[in-house]
Amino acid sequence: MKTTFDLKAKRPLIISGPCSAETEEQTLETCRQLAATGLVDVLRAGIWKPRTKPGSFEGVGLKGLAWLAAAKAETGLPTAVEVATTKHVEAALEFGVDILWIGARTTVSPFSVQEIADALKGTNTPVLVKNPMNPDIDLWAGAVVRLQNAGLDNVGLIHRGFSYFGHSQYRNSPMWHLVIEMRSRFPELTMICDPSHICGNRTYLQEVSQTAADLRFDGLIVESHICPDKAWSDASQQLVPDDLAKLVRGVNWRQDTTNDPEFVNALNNLRQQIDQIDSELFDLLSRRMRVAEKIGEIKRDNNVAILQGGRWNSIVDKVVTQARELNLSEEFLKTVLEAIHIESISRQNSIMNR
Ligand code: PEP
Ligand code: MN
């Protein structure tokens, strides 16, 4: 069997290239400049683009594969493209693409993922699976298992953030806790972060990349373009190759841990404090729920609805003021409060409708 690129061969694994291959010149020049930085391990380019609105630029198709093959021949760097159908897989392999990735809009579809897995059977091609658009890690895990069941053992993960209802500074919310859960389900898989699609702009790329490094991700996939402002897709998030190099150099890939006794002692001590505080927190939460149940009883006895107008808003307002005083972020406290509120309502619900 042809030797294939090992996703675990290097940490951090750095993948970069344009969101889309647009022209031969743009593809080759971007790849040349990336290779010249000496910091990029794999070149990426979108060839077929799944776009939200029909009629927007949907990728250059086959000719882009030829440009990418030329970039590979010139730079010596392996290449990666997104595939969504059997035809894409066949074309990519025919043009010598080294790594395939499954995009977020494809991971959501078990039929499409199965089709890709079937098309790859017997090849052992490395495949990176992006998280699905929606925050559903069972769906993400299912896609991985479909590929593994097809005999592919060189599978990795890409975290690109999740669609999110509400306001966020990000285009796609990172929801890091979901990714930590995915990691614990598949500890053996390479996990790389795609800060470009999380951020949707250049502002937060550095800090998101650093967070990924600190959560022990194995690398980054970042979009770059010789002239980002003129890009045909994702213009506001791409970096010129020089800035890509600055970003990569600026990330501190800290050591996993250390055996230094002073560190180990201090860490154990702080962890004990955390465990103690957690147990006090849970104690308080349990007391709070017992009070909520009593409220449920008096509402039931007086035949009064669970949700009382104004009460929830006044709790939130109070907490927001408190958050500022306690140096806790408003977003964090609201999330905690919402979780507590949902549980309170469900307790009252079961008391009232028992
Ligand atoms: C891409 O990588 O260009 C892309 C389309 O990403 P995603 O599938 O994460 O939206
Ligand atoms: Mn893109």
Side-chain angles (χ1 to χ4, degrees):
M1 194 184 290
K2 191 170 107 224
T3 53
T4 60
F5 186 90
D6 179 5
L7 295 173
K8 293 200 185 82
K10 183 178 167 281
R11 180 179 188 274
L13 180 67
I14 306 296
I15 305 179
S16 190
C19 176
S20 306
E22 299 162 2
T23 66
E24 183 170 17
E25 167 69 10
Q26 167 256 3
T27 305
L28 277 166
E29 193 49 32
T30 307
C31 293
R32 257 180 219 131
Q33 292 185 19
L34 288 172
T37 68
L39 297 168
V40 173
D41 305 303
V42 178
L43 300 167
R44 66 150 278 159
I47 301 294
W48 304 279
K49 303 300 296 180
R51 303 308 296 279
T52 305
K53 293 186 202 116
S56 20
F57 170 60
E58 292 189 312
V60 292
L62 287 183
K63 63 187 175 195
L65 287 175
W67 306 335
L68 209 53
K72 172 176 167 171
E74 196 183 313
T75 62
L77 290 175
T79 55
V81 304
E82 174 178 346
V83 291
T85 67
T86 302
K87 264 195 189 158
H88 296 166
V89 170
E90 286 166 356
L93 296 185
E94 193 185 313
F95 278 86
V97 173
D98 301 276
I99 301 172
L100 307 182
W101 85 81
I102 299 181
R105 289 162 192 76
T106 305
T107 308
V108 295
S109 163
F111 287 133
S112 298
V113 173
Q114 191 58 51
E115 180 181 323
I116 294 167
D118 291 342
L120 283 170
K121 235 174 228 165
T123 66
N124 210 23
T125 307
V127 185
L128 291 165
V129 187
K130 286 200 170 197
N131 65 262
M133 302 290 288
N134 50 326
D136 179 346
I137 54 172
D138 286 331
L139 199 52
W140 196 4
V144 168
V145 174
R146 283 177 197 278
L147 294 166
Q148 290 176 331
N149 287 349
L152 300 165
D153 59 15
N154 204 356
V155 176
L157 305 166
I158 300 177
H159 169 40
R160 49 80 75 203
F162 300 89
S163 279
Y164 175 76
F165 176 74
H167 290 290
S168 162
Q169 68 192 18
Y170 303 113
R171 172 178 175 189
N172 291 293
S173 170
M175 302 191 191
W176 298 106
H177 57 290
L178 291 186
V179 184
I180 292 170
E181 160 75 20
M182 189 67 181
R183 279 227 100 160
S184 72
R185 288 202 204 178
F186 296 98
E188 73 291 359
L189 298 190
T190 295
M191 160 87 82
I192 66 175
C193 180
D194 174 350
S196 304
H197 292 89
I198 290 175
C199 295
N201 60 52
R202 288 177 274 274
T203 315
Y204 302 112
L205 289 176
Q206 190 79 50
E207 73 181 52
V208 168
S209 304
Q210 185 60 51
T211 301
D214 287 333
L215 294 176
R216 297 173 65 181
F217 277 57
D218 301 300
L220 299 171
I221 176 166
V222 186
E223 290 186 342
S224 51
H225 192 287
I226 39 166
C227 189
D229 292 337
K230 297 217 171 99
W232 299 356
S233 60
D234 289 351
S236 49
Q237 70 196 29
Q238 304 203 55
L239 292 172
V240 291
D242 274 353
D243 287 342
L244 181 279
K246 277 188 208 139
L247 174 107
V248 171
R249 283 201 196 93
V251 178
N252 183 358
W253 297 87
R254 290 176 237 269
Q255 56 182 336
D256 283 353
T257 188
T258 165
N259 291 323
D260 174 43
E262 224 171 284
F263 166 80
V264 173
N265 273 339
L267 185 64
N268 284 341
N269 185 295
L270 292 167
R271 282 183 171 162
Q272 271 169 21
Q273 292 182 42
I274 292 265
D275 290 347
Q276 175 62 28
I277 294 170
D278 280 351
S279 119
E280 288 169 27
L281 270 175
F282 292 140
D283 211 52
L284 275 175
L285 283 173
S286 156
R287 272 171 55 198
R288 194 195 189 284
M289 290 310 156
R290 284 202 298 273
V291 176
E293 283 174 357
K294 286 205 183 107
I295 291 186
E297 285 164 14
I298 61 167
K299 284 180 183 164
R300 177 198 58 204
D301 297 345
N302 291 277
N303 206 25
V304 156
I306 293 181
L307 198 63
Q308 294 287 302
R311 172 67 180 153
W312 172 240
N313 287 346
S314 85
I315 294 183
V316 171
D317 289 348
K318 210 165 63 199
V319 161
V320 168
T321 320
Q322 228 181 357
R324 279 191 216 107
E325 289 162 10
L326 294 172
N327 194 23
L328 294 170
S329 89
E330 195 177 313
E331 193 184 347
F332 167 64
L333 271 195
K334 270 193 187 156
T335 308
V336 172
L337 206 58
E338 264 159 18
I340 293 175
H341 192 223
I342 289 170
E343 177 66 8
S344 280
I345 288 182
S346 122
R347 298 255 183 151
Q348 293 186 37
N349 209 355
S350 68
I351 284 184
M352 293 173 84
N353 298 305
R354 197 154 40 200

